[in-house]
Amino acid sequence: MNALFKALNDPTRRAILERLRGGPATAGAIAEQFQFSAPTISHHLDLLRQADLVTSQKQGQFVVYTLNMTVLDELLGWLYQFKS
Amino acid sequence: MNALFKALNDPTRRAILERLRGGPATAGAIAEQFQFSAPTISHHLDLLRQADLVTSQKQGQFVVYTLNMTVLDELLGWLYQFKS
DNA sequence: TCAATGATTAGACAAATATCTAAATAAAAT
DNA sequence: ATTTTATTTAGATATTTGTCTAATCATTGA
C-alpha cells in the first residue's frame, strides 16, 4: 500500500500510467513522450513496477511495459471504506 | 490532484483519515493516537486540509477536524479510467 | 568481432519531506 | 490577572526524492 501511494504521488508517473492505458509500450517509446532523460524515466518505471502498477517483459533489446490494473482494486477497496 | 496524492502518500495521514471515519475529532484527540509530537500531527492535518480531505472548525480552544469525502470522488474518477 | 542501439545502474546534487524542540497564540479556569 | 490547556507557527535537521551525467549491460547488425 505504501509503494502504491508513493508511486502515484508524481505527475510524471501518473502520466506514464495514462499512456499505458492505450496499450503496452517500450521504455524508449515512453521516454520520448517526456522531456526527462531516459534514466529518469527508467527510474520512474522502476517505482511503478515496485508498486506492481506495471509489469515488464524483455523482448530482445527492448523492454515492454504493461499496465497492471489488478493492484488498483486494492486502492479502490481502501477508498470505498470512506464512501458511506 | 497533486495535493490529494501528496496527502495520501503517508501512513500517518492515512491513519488519521481512517480515524476520522469514526466521526470528527479534535487535533489533540487525534494526536493522542500517535507517538508523534503535537506539532507533527498538526502539520499532517494541515496537509490533509490543503488536499481538502478534511475540514476544520474552531470550537473554543479546540479545533475539530472532520473528514470530507467529496474530494475522494475526484480520485475515484481518475481511477475508473483504468477499469475497462 | 566490433560498432550501434535500447535500457539500466551508479553516483552526485538540489529540493522536498517528516520530524523535533522552542516559541507564540488563544481560550478557559483559577 | 495569572496560569493552564489546546493548538499552531517558526526554525532546525536528517532523510527521501527527482533529476542529471557518465558508465555499464545486453542485444542486434555490419
Side-chain angles (χ1 to χ4, degrees):
Chain A
M1 205 66 166
N2 252 317
L4 181 54
F5 281 109
K6 176 177 172 175
L8 292 174
N9 186 31
D10 182 275
T12 302
R13 288 194 291 272
R14 292 197 299 273
I16 291 173
L17 291 179
E18 288 171 11
R19 153 67 139 110
L20 292 178
R21 246 187 89 223
T26 66
I30 294 167
E32 273 176 12
Q33 194 168 358
F34 301 93
Q35 301 134 327
F36 300 118
S37 68
T40 292
I41 298 299
S42 183
H43 178 235
H44 282 311
L45 287 167
D46 187 40
L47 290 178
L48 288 171
R49 195 174 34 206
Q50 280 176 40
D52 208 27
L53 282 163
V54 304
T55 59
S56 64
Q57 303 92 32
K58 187 152 196 179
Q59 289 188 6
Q61 58 187 155
F62 298 87
V63 176
V64 177
Y65 284 85
T66 307
L67 187 62
N68 176 30
M69 295 155 297
T70 65
V71 72
L72 289 178
D73 290 334
E74 189 187 349
L75 180 51
L76 284 172
W78 186 82
L79 287 174
Y80 264 113
Q81 86 183 112
F82 296 101
K83 297 280 291 179
S84 71
Chain B
M1 205 64 163
N2 254 317
L4 181 54
F5 280 109
K6 174 178 173 176
L8 292 175
N9 185 32
D10 182 276
T12 302
R13 288 195 289 272
R14 292 196 299 273
I16 290 174
L17 291 178
E18 289 171 10
R19 152 69 138 111
L20 292 178
R21 246 186 89 224
T26 66
I30 293 166
E32 274 176 9
Q33 196 170 355
F34 301 93
Q35 301 133 328
F36 300 119
S37 68
T40 293
I41 298 299
S42 183
H43 177 236
H44 283 310
L45 288 168
D46 188 40
L47 290 177
L48 289 171
R49 194 174 34 207
Q50 279 177 41
D52 207 28
L53 282 163
V54 303
T55 58
S56 64
Q57 304 92 33
K58 187 153 196 177
Q59 290 188 5
Q61 60 187 156
F62 299 88
V63 177
V64 177
Y65 284 85
T66 307
L67 188 62
N68 176 30
M69 297 154 296
T70 64
V71 72
L72 290 178
D73 290 334
E74 191 187 347
L75 180 51
L76 284 171
W78 186 82
L79 288 174
Y80 263 113
Q81 85 183 113
F82 296 101
K83 296 280 292 181
S84 70

